[in-house]
Amino acid sequence: MSRIVVVSNRVPVPQGNAGQAGGLAVALLGLMQRRGGLWFGWSGAVAEGQAGPSMVQRGGVGYATIDLTEAEHRGFYTGYSNGVLWPMLHGLPHLMSFRRQDLDIYRRVNRRFADALVPMLRRDDRIWVHDYHLLSLPGALRQRGVLGPTGFYLHVPFPAPEAAAVAPGIRGLVQDVLASDLLGFQTAMDRDNFAASAIGFAGAVRTGEDRLELGGRPVRLGVFPAEIAAPEFAATAAAQQAAEPVRLLAQSLRGQALLLGVDRLDPTKGLPERLEAFRRVAARRTARSLTMLQIAAPSREDVVAYRRLRQEIDAAAGAINSEFGEPDWLPLRLLARPQTRDMVAGFMRLARVGLVTPIRDGMNLVAKEYVAAQDPADPGVLVLSRFAGAAAQLSSALLVNPHDAEGMAEAICTALDMPLAERRARWQDAWAAIAETSPERWGETFLRALAPEDLERLPVAGTA
Ligand code: ADP
Ligand code: F6P
C-alpha cells in the first residue's frame, strides 16, 4: 500500500487536548492518525536560518516540520497568504494589503517546501497538498521531477474569476496548482468558479463537469465537503454535561436561554454583524431571559485587519453590556481565547441557539459540530449564514444573510421561540446530513479519486 503524504502550512503535531482551532487540523487529524503516513509543513515557529525538517513520530504518523524565518513569516504567511489570498478568496477585497515582495516570498517559500519535501518522498507516495498557502507547490514538485499522484484540496471558497483577479499574482498561482492530478473543493460553486479561472487565467479547457485539460494533460476536479465525526462529537457533548466547566456554565445561566458562537477571531466570521443582531435581540427581550456566549480564539494577530477586529468586537461587546446590563446580569459574555474541543462540545449542547453567521466560509465545521452536540430529545436551533459551505448540506437550519442585522435578529427570536416539535424535525434533517459520514470517509473519498487502483484494496473507512 502506498504512503499518504499530507502537506499543509499548519501541522497539528498532537499535544494533548489543547484547543486546535482550525478546520484543517480538525478534518485531517483523525484520518492521518488512523492511516499513518507523513505530514509535512510549517512548525509554527519563527527562527532565523533555514534548517532542514525536524521529525517527530506519533503512532503511525511522522510529522516533519520546518521553521519560517521572520521575513518568510511576514511575507508568506501574514503578507500574501492571509493579507491577500484569504480576503480575496472570501470576497473581502477591501481587506487586502498587497506588497510585491510578499508575492515573491510566497513563491519562494512554496519552493522551499518542495526542496525540503522531495528528499523525503518515496516513488509510490500519494501526495495531498492542502489550502491556499501552497498553491504553487504542485508546480514546484513537478519541476523537481515528482511524477506520482498529487492532489490539492482547497478548504476555503473560490470566487468568480473577476473577484479572483483582484489578487496580484493569482494567474500564475492558478497555473501552478493546475500541475495537480486532482483538485478538490468544498462545494460545486467553488469548483465551477475555479474552473472558470483556470480557463480564463491559464488557458485550460473544460472537457467535462469534473475535468479540465491543460496542454493536453487532464486535470480532474471534485467536490468533497469536509465532514466531522458526528457520533463521536455527540458522545463527547453528552459526556461533558458532567464536567465542571459545563456544569458551572449551566448553573450560571439560572434557566436563561443560551446563545452560543464559537469561532476563530477572523473577519470572515461575521462577528460584528452577529453582535449587532444580538444587540437588537437584547433590546426586544426582557432582562435575564437570555445570555449570549461568544468564544473567539485569537488568530493571525500579525495581520492588521485581525487586530482591528479584536478592538471592534471588544468595543461592541462592552457597548451591549453597558446598554442592556443590570447590576446582577450581563447579556453578553465574550471570551477571546480558545477553549478545549471537549468543553466546546459540552457548551454547544447547552445552547438553545447556535450562531454560525460567517460573511463567507468554505464549509464551517462549527455548524456541523453544533448539530452533532444537540440532545435529540430537546435540540437547539442552528442559525446559519447562507454563505457558509455548510448551508448546502444543512438546509433545515434557519438560513440568514449576515449583512441583514434585522433579519438575523428575527431569525434568532424565531429560534428562541421555536416549538419543540419543529426543533426536533429540523434537527433530524440536519443530523441525517452529517451522521453517515466522517472526516475519514471524506479523506478516503478524495484519496480514492486521486489514485483509484491502489485504494481499491482498502476497506471503506469511517462507516459511522
Ligand atoms: P476555520 O477553518 O475557518 O477555522 P471551521 O469552523 O471550519 O473554521 O473550523 C474551526 C474548528 O476549530 C472547529 O472544529 C471548531 O470547533 C474549532 N474552533 C474554532 N474556534 C474555536 C474556539 N474559539 N475555541 C475552540 N475551538 C475552536
Ligand atoms: O480552514 C482554513 C484555515 O486557514 C486552515 O488552513 C487553518 O488550519 C485554519 O484556517 C486556521 O488558520 P491558521 O493556520 O492561519 O491559524
Side-chain angles (χ1 to χ4, degrees), residues 10 21-25 77 82 86 131-133 155-156 264 300:
R10 190 66 75 177
L24 188 146
Y77 177 74
N82 289 316
W86 177 270
D131 237 354
Y132 60 98
H133 316 85
H155 289 255
V156 299
R264 278 184 308 102
R300 306 175 191 166

Side-chain angles (χ1 to χ4, degrees), residues 274-290:
R274 189 182 305 168
L275 293 184
E276 172 55 23
F278 178 67
R279 196 187 65 75
R280 291 169 190 236
V281 173
R284 289 186 199 175
R285 298 274 156 154
T286 51
R288 299 178 198 82
S289 67
L290 80 181

Side-chain angles (χ1 to χ4, degrees), residues 41-106:
W42 175 39
S43 64
V46 174
E48 290 318 308
Q50 297 193 343
S54 318
M55 282 295 299
V56 176
Q57 191 70 33
R58 294 269 190 282
V61 187
Y63 297 90
T65 55
I66 55 173
D67 300 337
L68 295 179
T69 67
E70 180 69 45
E72 286 174 341
H73 183 259
R74 195 171 51 243
F76 159 74
Y77 177 74
T78 304
Y80 194 73
S81 296
N82 289 316
V84 176
L85 289 176
W86 177 270
M88 177 278 278
L89 290 163
H90 289 85
L92 299 170
H94 57 288
L95 296 184
M96 276 180 19
S97 163
F98 175 69
R99 299 187 316 161
R100 169 57 67 86
Q101 68 264 40
D102 292 347
L103 173 59
D104 296 339
I105 296 171
Y106 176 92

Side-chain angles (χ1 to χ4, degrees), residues 50-225:
Q50 297 193 343
S54 318
M55 282 295 299
V56 176
Q57 191 70 33
R58 294 269 190 282
V61 187
Y63 297 90
T65 55
I66 55 173
D67 300 337
L68 295 179
T69 67
E70 180 69 45
E72 286 174 341
H73 183 259
R74 195 171 51 243
F76 159 74
Y77 177 74
T78 304
Y80 194 73
S81 296
N82 289 316
V84 176
L85 289 176
W86 177 270
M88 177 278 278
L89 290 163
H90 289 85
L92 299 170
H94 57 288
L95 296 184
M96 276 180 19
S97 163
F98 175 69
R99 299 187 316 161
R100 169 57 67 86
Q101 68 264 40
D102 292 347
L103 173 59
D104 296 339
I105 296 171
Y106 176 92
R107 290 178 155 287
R108 211 180 308 142
V109 170
N110 273 246
R111 290 198 296 272
R112 200 183 145 210
F113 267 52
D115 287 334
L117 180 61
V118 167
M120 292 186 281
L121 292 178
R122 299 178 194 153
R123 237 172 114 79
D124 61 347
D125 281 341
R126 253 160 312 148
I127 303 167
W128 189 6
V129 181
H130 289 263
D131 237 354
Y132 60 98
H133 316 85
L134 299 175
L135 288 167
S136 260
L137 188 63
L141 291 173
R142 296 297 188 218
Q143 278 168 5
R144 284 157 183 74
V146 176
L147 298 174
T150 301
F152 180 91
Y153 185 81
L154 188 68
H155 289 255
V156 299
F158 200 95
E162 57 274 25
V166 302
I170 189 65
R171 289 168 182 272
L173 301 184
V174 166
Q175 184 101 38
D176 291 344
V177 79
L178 283 165
S180 314
D181 298 297
L182 173 67
L183 289 151
F185 300 90
Q186 298 274 18
T187 67
M189 194 201 289
D190 300 321
R191 177 200 60 197
D192 293 341
N193 282 340
F194 177 83
S197 284
I199 294 164
F201 301 166
V205 177
R206 194 155 186 185
T207 49
E209 189 177 59
D210 291 339
R211 213 160 259 276
L212 292 169
E213 212 173 274
L214 184 66
R217 197 177 57 82
V219 182
R220 283 169 295 132
L221 308 175
V223 176
F224 307 90

Side-chain angles (χ1 to χ4, degrees), residues 18-27 86 90 131 155-156 186 226 228 233 261-266 268-269 294-300 335-345 348 356 360-370:
Q20 282 281 9
L24 188 146
V26 169
W86 177 270
H90 289 85
D131 237 354
H155 289 255
V156 299
Q186 298 274 18
I228 63 159
F233 200 83
V262 180
D263 306 79
R264 278 184 308 102
L265 220 167
D266 191 291
T268 62
K269 302 293 179 183
Q294 175 63 55
I295 304 171
S299 178
R300 306 175 191 166
L335 305 187
R337 54 186 183 274
Q339 304 293 304
T340 67
R341 210 168 146 65
D342 287 358
M343 240 189 260
V344 166
M348 283 177 169
V356 182
R360 188 84 178 92
D361 215 323
M363 173 50 60
N364 198 299
L365 296 178
V366 171
K368 294 182 174 181
E369 291 169 353
Y370 178 75

Side-chain angles (χ1 to χ4, degrees), residues 388-404:
Q393 290 167 284
L394 302 177
S395 52
S396 68
L398 291 179
L399 297 182
V400 294
N401 179 339
H403 300 285
D404 174 7

